[in-house]
Amino acid sequence: MSKAAQVLTELFSRAGIAINGSRPFDVTVKDERFFARALAYKNLGLGESYMEGWWECERIDQLICRILLAGLDKTVRGDWRLCLRLIPALIGNPQSVIKSRTVAERHYDLGNALFSAFLDPFMQYSCAYFSGDDDLNAAQERKLNLICDKLGLKPGDRLLDIGCGFGGLARFAAERRGCRVTGATISQEQAAFARAFCKDLPADILVCDYRELTGRFNKIVSVGMFEHVGPKNHARFMRKVRELLTGDGVFLLHTIGSNVPSACCDPWIARYVFPVGALPTLAQITDAAGEALVLEDLHNLGPHYDRTLIAWLERFNENWPGLRARYDETFRRMWTYYLASCAGAFRARDIQLWQLVLTSKGAPQPCCQIGRASCRERV
């Protein structure tokens, strides 16, 4: 057994994980290079070696959860070259107007057939809101209703959806709440889908960066987009929201968040899934909003994202035969690792999902839209 194998075997044992064991979270090694790669490059090495077929695990979500709960990600120092990924974020602005479009080109424009294969009918590529034995479809509708209730959406409202994705929330708000909706995305593929999805409804879909938006809206929402804003732009984002929001308006921010600050995402996620992303901390969000907006309500839906990701993974696996002609085996393993490892991170409470309701300074507190709707069904 190599030195790297000895070290990683001992580290895994601290988390109750066995090499070539029989439990769902145990790792079966197919290539001895796995040990050195994982030790040197941590999650980047784990993910890349899985993509290359060097190891197998029945439940990657359980494996990652155990690794994080045991603190193994902090125990392993990793190769010094991992630190190089921080340099662009420290000396530049990876989420500038031009660079921010990278995530659309490399992720959101992968093909609408891919996302349709595992998302719900409203194409919600964000955390659902489960209750009891809900399936994914019901949980996503519950999330949409929760957002609409917190915003207090009613007929005649002008709603801006920053990062509208495939247009599911825009359609829901226009159909169910009688709103006039403007949606904005930087993805051409998403915009094309959203325009068709919202056809004949009072919903306009724009392809633009949030910094380019104009107009006035009494309700603004942003779901699963703030993770791409970056810490150097948080305050600018909040100022833009305040500029677009009417004096009595309400803003809901729905975002994945980190317990600790970082200039960029996990290196594997940054390389293969969400380039130029950076999860905000709650302190960063409130500091950025403090000069422009008032925090009215905070809701952590993190455990619901674990269930959402597992549901997505199950649907992806079920529908893989229909995707195989377009995406290769390496992509399948990459997408599997992405969904399963993120589920494990949420289960370990290493990352969170927050919904914040904010208002303009001096606006009446929208307590009737927040308390009863959001608290009644919390799990």
Side-chain angles (χ1 to χ4, degrees):
M1 181 182 288
S2 68
K3 179 64 174 177
Q6 292 176 2
V7 172
L8 195 61
T9 299
E10 192 278 327
L11 284 171
F12 274 2
S13 70
R14 298 182 194 178
I17 302 163
I19 299 295
N20 299 325
S22 59
R23 294 165 299 182
F25 50 80
D26 288 333
V27 172
T28 300
V29 177
K30 303 290 187 179
D31 190 312
E32 290 290 315
R33 289 177 291 177
F34 157 74
F35 296 107
R37 178 77 71 88
L39 281 177
Y41 294 102
K42 303 174 72 171
N43 191 46
L44 179 61
L46 272 178
E48 288 186 333
S49 59
Y50 181 77
M51 290 167 62
E52 293 174 28
W54 292 1
W55 60 278
E56 300 289 348
C57 177
E58 182 184 343
R59 293 295 302 269
I60 294 173
D61 56 312
Q62 294 181 14
L63 169 70
I64 296 299
C65 182
R66 283 175 169 267
I67 288 173
L68 293 173
L69 288 177
L72 301 190
D73 58 316
K74 307 295 190 301
T75 302
V76 177
R77 292 175 61 89
D79 190 280
W80 62 272
R81 283 169 289 191
L82 280 173
C83 298
L84 294 178
R85 70 188 181 90
L86 298 174
I87 294 176
L90 294 174
I91 66 175
N93 183 2
Q95 296 86 15
S96 66
V97 174
I98 295 175
K99 293 178 181 178
S100 66
R101 300 185 190 278
T102 304
V103 70
E105 297 165 358
R106 291 176 51 188
H107 187 81
Y108 295 112
D109 290 345
L110 281 170
N112 292 332
L114 168 66
F115 295 100
S116 298
F118 68 90
L119 298 180
D120 65 292
F122 279 98
M123 293 291 284
Q124 291 297 287
Y125 193 28
S126 62
C127 181
Y129 188 47
F130 291 88
S131 178
D133 295 328
D134 278 349
D135 65 7
L136 179 66
N137 294 356
Q140 288 291 16
E141 283 210 37
R142 180 172 283 105
K143 184 271 300 290
L144 290 169
N145 272 311
L146 178 70
I147 289 172
C148 291
D149 287 345
K150 287 183 178 182
L151 286 167
L153 289 184
K154 60 187 183 301
D157 279 346
R158 294 196 64 215
L159 173 67
L160 172 64
D161 185 354
I162 305 176
C164 66
F166 299 100
L169 175 55
R171 175 171 173 168
F172 190 90
E175 278 187 335
R176 307 283 181 91
R177 303 298 175 107
C179 299
R180 175 81 200 188
V181 186
T182 298
T185 175
I186 57 172
S187 167
Q188 295 286 351
E189 289 283 323
Q190 286 187 332
F193 187 99
R195 285 166 181 157
F197 200 40
C198 296
K199 185 180 179 181
D200 299 326
L201 290 169
D204 300 315
I205 306 298
L206 310 176
V207 179
C208 68
D209 186 90
Y210 69 90
R211 286 160 281 211
E212 301 165 338
L213 288 165
T214 59
R216 297 280 279 174
F217 306 86
N218 67 321
K219 305 292 169 65
I220 299 178
V221 66
S222 183
V223 178
M225 176 270 180
F226 196 70
E227 302 90 328
H228 306 303
V229 169
K232 292 187 177 180
N233 305 300
H234 287 165
R236 184 175 181 179
F237 178 91
M238 293 297 182
R239 289 195 300 270
K240 171 56 73 170
V241 168
R242 178 63 191 91
E243 172 191 319
L244 299 168
L245 193 65
T246 59
D248 60 348
V250 182
F251 169 49
L252 185 141
L253 179 66
H254 173 118
T255 180
I256 300 172
S258 175
N259 296 330
V260 295
S262 178
C264 53
C265 277
D266 168 87
W268 186 86
I269 291 289
R271 178 172 293 182
Y272 294 100
V273 187
F274 295 118
V276 302
L279 299 184
T281 64
L282 192 57
Q284 287 174 328
I285 297 173
T286 55
D287 284 350
E291 291 300 315
L293 300 162
V294 176
L295 177 64
E296 303 284 5
D297 186 63
L298 172 64
H299 187 175
N300 190 340
L301 279 72
H304 295 265
Y305 224 146
D306 177 7
R307 290 184 65 179
T308 303
L309 286 153
I310 294 300
W312 286 347
L313 180 58
E314 291 172 351
R315 292 187 176 200
F316 174 74
N317 288 331
E318 289 171 4
N319 293 305
W320 173 249
L323 299 171
R324 188 181 286 121
R326 182 169 180 178
Y327 306 96
D328 61 16
E329 179 64 10
T330 300
F331 181 90
R332 185 190 70 80
R333 294 179 71 87
M334 180 270 284
W335 207 261
T336 297
Y337 190 81
Y338 155 48
L339 297 176
S341 64
C342 288
F346 277 105
R347 194 174 308 154
R349 308 310 306 280
D350 193 61
I351 50 179
Q352 315 299 328
L353 189 287
W354 296 309
Q355 280 189 356
L356 296 88
V357 177
L358 304 106
T359 57
S360 303
K361 287 185 177 180
Q365 185 178 53
C367 54
C368 59
Q369 286 91 12
I370 295 171
R372 291 193 297 270
S374 60
C375 296
R376 183 175 59 244
E377 296 179 292
R378 292 186 186 181
V379 295

